[in-house]
Amino acid sequence: MQFTQLRLAGFKSFVEPTEVPIEPGLTGIVGPNGCGKSNLVEALRWVMGETSARRMRGGAMEDVIFAGTTQRPPRNLAEVTLRIDNSDRKAPNPFNETDELEITRRIEREYGSTYKVNGREVRARDVQLLFAD
């Protein structure tokens, strides 16, 4: 399985919808201090099932939602989608029916997070097992 795209909206410093293509080979994240490099890596960990707010550099899991600035109001939800090429069919059996997998994690203030794989709601454990295998 190969990661092909990361899409973020309202996640930490990525208030606007942002798409990051992940090309075959080596993909590097380069930029000045404070530009969000570590937030991209955390978005990957989060969508893959990270459950510790502390490991996400926060006090609560809702801290991944854009908190606002003096010029922008805070958001009520954050969403990260990871697209994976599954043409080699190496995903676990319940997810192996398509050539491409789209894993989405969405969190809404006071409601917690939900996971979807190809638009179908799944448990957090299912997503964690997808990446553990």
Side-chain angles (χ1 to χ4, degrees), residues 113-124:
S113 39
T114 58
Y115 292 86
K116 290 184 179 181
V117 175
N118 289 349
R120 190 178 80 219
E121 197 163 317
V122 297
R123 303 173 306 168

Side-chain angles (χ1 to χ4, degrees), residues 61-95:
M61 198 50 81
E62 288 183 0
D63 291 343
V64 302
I65 302 171
F66 178 73
T69 66
T70 55
Q71 287 114 12
R72 289 179 173 241
R75 297 290 168 116
N76 286 325
L77 62 93
E79 184 174 275
V80 176
T81 300
L82 179 61
R83 188 172 289 156
I84 299 174
D85 177 2
N86 186 40
S87 57
D88 59 2
R89 303 284 194 215
K90 289 190 176 180
N93 203 21
F95 308 115

Side-chain angles (χ1 to χ4, degrees), residues 98-113:
T98 61
D99 285 345
E100 190 170 78
L101 296 175
E102 197 170 87
I103 297 92
T104 301
R105 184 173 181 181
R106 179 183 181 127
I107 187 169
E108 200 168 346
R109 288 195 197 281
E110 300 177 19
Y111 292 103
S113 39

Side-chain angles (χ1 to χ4, degrees), residues 3-7 19-22 81-84 102:
F3 295 174
T4 59
Q5 184 184 58
L6 181 66
R7 194 170 54 231
E19 290 186 8
V20 179
I22 304 171
T81 300
L82 179 61
R83 188 172 289 156
I84 299 174
E102 197 170 87

